Amino acid sequence: MTKLLVFAGSTRQHSYNRRLAQVAAGMAREAGADVTLMELSDFDIPLYNADLEAQGTPADVIRLKEILWQHPAWIICSPEYNGSYTALLKNTIDWASSPVKGHPEWQDGTRSFRGKVVGMLSASPGALGGLRSQSHLGPLLTNLECWLAPKAFALGSAGSAFDESGALVQQAHRDRVRAVVDQVLWAAERLQAPAA
């Protein structure tokens, strides 16, 4: 059973991307994955500052690194702010990829990222659905040695895309999300498989 981590780059209460993350997590559970739906608001992580880091890496950063490392497959739902991903998501990645000097496990900054299979989703009220955030996030993840799933989905007109229960209204949208989830799980299972 593949362990899949799903999270959104937003902490806003009525975030479309948090809703999309919940949809993706549900589909992955239906597909048989062991899913962790992570909320970034559960972590007390300050704005990245090297001087602050020199005083000691915050405990929640270590906890975040461990959670990322424990899951070989991820789905990231990325909001789009000013044509790119959010400051929250960048700050999270900056802390998670920063080496912890002298730590036996986390002195390697890319350890939490290396070899992870990552699928990208996004949602936006606009017609492009947050697509530009994915175009910036993808190279960042590749630079951190993640495997990026070729399938991705940007949900446009997100204000009318969900029903009152948080489910996607259109079957076509559900199919696109499921395709990303399925590809991430498929790839992660094969990359984890022992060599023949």
Side-chain angles (χ1 to χ4, degrees), residues 18 34-36 40 49 55 59 62 64 69 71 82 85-86 92 94 106 119 132-133 135 155 164 168 180-181 188:
R18 289 180 62 226
D34 178 6
V35 180
T36 300
L40 295 184
N49 180 313
Q55 299 171 25
I62 301 296
L64 173 66
W69 180 77
H71 294 79
N82 295 315
Y85 47 82
T86 61
T92 300
D94 286 348
W106 305 119
R132 291 176 297 179
S133 73
S135 72
L155 175 68
E164 292 182 359
L168 287 170
V180 175
V181 169

Side-chain angles (χ1 to χ4, degrees), residues 64-174:
L64 173 66
K65 286 175 176 283
E66 290 171 346
I67 292 170
L68 294 172
W69 180 77
Q70 289 165 359
H71 294 79
W74 307 346
I75 298 283
I76 301 177
C77 297
S78 177
E80 182 181 304
Y81 287 7
N82 295 315
S84 189
Y85 47 82
T86 61
L88 170 67
L89 186 53
K90 181 64 162 65
N91 191 62
T92 300
I93 291 171
D94 286 348
W95 270 113
S97 61
S98 185
V100 182
K101 291 181 181 178
H103 195 287
E105 294 175 329
W106 305 119
Q107 58 187 346
D108 177 356
T110 57
R111 183 172 185 254
S112 294
F113 293 83
R114 189 181 303 115
K116 305 304 179 183
V117 177
V118 185
M120 293 189 300
L121 297 172
S122 59
S124 168
L128 293 179
L131 187 63
R132 291 176 297 179
S133 73
Q134 295 182 18
S135 72
H136 290 184
L137 180 60
L140 174 61
L141 295 170
T142 302
N143 186 62
L144 289 168
E145 302 183 36
C146 296
W147 294 94
L148 207 58
K151 286 189 184 294
F153 177 51
L155 175 68
S157 303
S160 59
F162 299 91
D163 64 20
E164 292 182 359
S165 69
L168 287 170
V169 174
Q170 294 187 31
Q171 183 62 46
H173 293 161
R174 294 194 292 271

